[in-house]
Amino acid sequence: MSILNSFYSIFDKKLLEYSLSSDYGLFYNDLNFFHFELYFILSIITFLIFFVILSNKKNYRSYYLNVGQIFANLLPFTIILLIVILNNNTTDSYYLFAGFYYNDIAIVFFKNIILLGFLVFILAIKQYVLYFKHYDFEFILILFISLFSSILILNSNDLISLFFIVELQSLTFYILVASKQTSSFSTESGLKYFILGCFSSGIILFGISLIYGFTGLLSYTDLTLFLSEAQISGFIIDSKFISFSGFLIGFLLLTVGFLFKLGSVPFHMWMPDVYEGSPLLFTAYLSTLPKISLMFVIFKLYYCVFFEVFVFSQVLFTLTALFSIILGSVAAIYQIKLKRMLTYSMITNTGYLLFGLSLGDVSGIYVTLFYLISYIFIMIGLFFCFLSLRDRSTGLLIKRINLFSNLLEINPFLSFSIFILLFSIAGIPPLLGFYSKLFLFLFSLKYKMYWLTILFVIFSVISVFYYIRLVKLMYFNRANGWVFFSDIPFLNSLVISFITIINGLFFFNPNLLFKFIYNFSFYFYI
């Protein structure tokens, strides 16, 4: 035993010397700064063990619905505990695990936004479990793992760790899309998403391999220093830097892979079918919270790591933004199904996000971040409204927009909330969505993009048509047969009311959000 003890003491001493002599060494006390993630993993494992035991008891059918309800009731307390643990650590920026993990105050802020957004989504999850008995605890657990991957992706500081976390997130998405066991359409959507998602993952991995092959670097920090020290003109002219062309190909492939994940044109083929086939709750989740983490990664990569070569992706961002706005605005007009119309609306808004990103300086971060927050906020309110439109007789959510007829007489409060939120996302003043588009157009004029601004204004006006069509159906159409909807839960009504009021009264004091986002945008640019 003395020999073993002496060996362990020598090993610990050598490990400490290595840790102290390396900037990003694998410190043996890394786990002391990894509390939040450890509690998250332990909560996932605990839930898995507990509910597997509970769901395998005798008289299984009597426990079938209760297991999901117990899980949905425990989730709010778990999320609140995680928020407390997250904000308990006030340590400044630090690297862990040989530089693969990075954390700072800005990342903690984005984690808080995602956790608070998921806390709101739990209200919808509880109602979903009530109406669909074939959903057990597994889909809630997978949703919880998806939340973990969306949070962990923010701490990635290496292209390989980024790829693995994105794949973990994508794997949960494939399962959630195909989770409706009674629908062959949902299974088909999950299969399409899986095949095309694997294709996009292959493109990202190929781009990462080319970047590593021609630079020998994968860390964000190393790549930033490498590109900042290099003279780009020297790379292109001097023959000894001919390998820069290979690096550029890998960089563009990485960009294409992320554009596929965002669902911008022409990489949007999977979105309409996948979002239509997936349950509305998961469509709402996939189109909101994961976009926050994905846009954070894109900000960090293109404004911090690859900013020296941003000009090569700027044209790609501008073109795909233009095509996304044109196709999304026109295609949504012809849709008669609610989820397909919302999907093309998401494609249009993705185009606006990419256009703001293509500006290439702190103004681009500012307008894109402001547009992203406004879009997520409005879409959460809209999806909560649509999740409340459940047929009282069948318990099913509405699928076609013609069922919005007579909604004014059935539920005036809900119809008014949908009216405000639709006009907000369409950009009608003085609502929140108007300011997000206004700033985007003003900054594009500042950079003398006159023709692009004119085109975007034209198609923004065209996109108003399919939003107004829903308003017309609610307020002016009268259907022969009436569809009676279930009562809206009290907490869901609070969420809808709060989001509607904020959208309507935002113009009274918009400077609070403006100043905060403007100051925060320097984090990525500096």
Side-chain angles (χ1 to χ4, degrees), residues 131 389-396 483-488:
Y131 282 96
L389 294 172
R390 191 179 298 278
D391 193 334
R392 186 187 294 272
S393 59
T394 62
L396 299 176
V483 178
F484 293 97
F485 301 107
S486 302
D487 296 334
I488 304 176

Side-chain angles (χ1 to χ4, degrees), residues 20-76:
L20 295 176
S21 62
S22 176
D23 292 334
Y24 306 118
L26 184 60
F27 291 88
Y28 68 87
N29 61 345
D30 278 350
L31 295 179
N32 293 331
F33 299 92
F34 205 61
H35 286 162
F36 171 75
E37 288 77 9
L38 284 177
Y39 279 111
F40 212 129
I41 294 171
L42 288 175
S43 62
I44 292 173
I45 296 172
T46 304
F47 282 139
L48 178 61
I49 295 172
F50 174 73
F51 287 112
V52 165
I53 295 173
L54 184 61
S55 62
N56 282 282
K57 285 181 175 291
K58 293 182 179 180
N59 299 323
Y60 176 74
R61 292 188 179 277
S62 64
Y63 284 92
Y64 200 72
L65 180 60
N66 294 336
V67 172
Q69 281 287 23
I70 293 170
F71 200 171
N73 290 327
L74 286 176
L75 268 182

Side-chain angles (χ1 to χ4, degrees), residues 102 168 251 285:
Y102 174 73
L168 173 62
F251 171 68
Y285 175 74

Side-chain angles (χ1 to χ4, degrees), residues 426-494:
I428 305 298
L431 302 174
L432 173 61
F434 165 74
Y435 290 95
S436 59
K437 287 188 177 181
L438 175 66
F439 277 97
L440 189 63
F441 295 150
L442 288 178
F443 277 104
S444 63
L445 290 174
K446 175 185 175 182
Y447 291 96
K448 299 181 180 180
M449 300 180 180
Y450 302 118
W451 288 107
L452 282 176
T453 307
I454 293 172
L455 285 174
F456 290 159
V457 171
I458 292 172
F459 284 100
S460 179
V461 173
I462 292 174
S463 65
V464 174
F465 171 79
Y466 53 85
Y467 296 124
I468 292 181
R469 183 172 58 174
L470 284 180
V471 177
K472 173 182 175 292
L473 288 170
M474 290 188 299
Y475 280 84
F476 301 105
N477 275 33
R478 296 296 177 267
N480 295 327
W482 284 60
V483 178
F484 293 97
F485 301 107
S486 302
D487 296 334
I488 304 176
F490 174 71
L491 293 177
N492 290 23
S493 300
L494 286 180

Side-chain angles (χ1 to χ4, degrees), residues 7 72 142 194 287 327 347 385 394 396 403 414 453 478 495 509:
F7 171 76
I142 294 170
F194 175 71
S287 58
L327 186 138
I347 293 173
C385 291
T394 62
L396 299 176
L403 296 177
L414 187 61
T453 307
R478 296 296 177 267
V495 173
N509 188 17

Side-chain angles (χ1 to χ4, degrees), residues 214 231-246:
F214 288 100
Q231 295 294 328
I232 303 304
S233 58
F235 273 108
I236 297 174
I237 297 172
D238 200 333
S239 61
K240 69 179 180 179
F241 294 119
I242 194 67
S243 62
F244 178 70
S245 60

Side-chain angles (χ1 to χ4, degrees), residues 134-146 167-183 185-195 197-198 274 277-279 282-283 285-286:
H134 62 275
Y135 279 116
D136 205 0
F137 75 95
E138 288 92 347
F139 92 92
I140 308 180
L141 184 65
I142 294 170
L143 200 62
F144 199 47
I145 296 173
S146 173
E167 284 309 293
L168 173 62
Q169 185 187 56
S170 300
L171 182 61
T172 59
F173 291 168
Y174 305 148
I175 300 171
L176 291 174
V177 168
S179 63
K180 196 170 184 179
Q181 303 168 8
T182 57
S183 173
F185 196 22
S186 177
T187 306
E188 179 187 352
S189 300
L191 185 60
K192 286 181 181 178
Y193 194 15
F194 175 71
I195 294 172
C198 291
V274 169
S278 65
F282 302 138
T283 303
Y285 175 74
L286 295 179

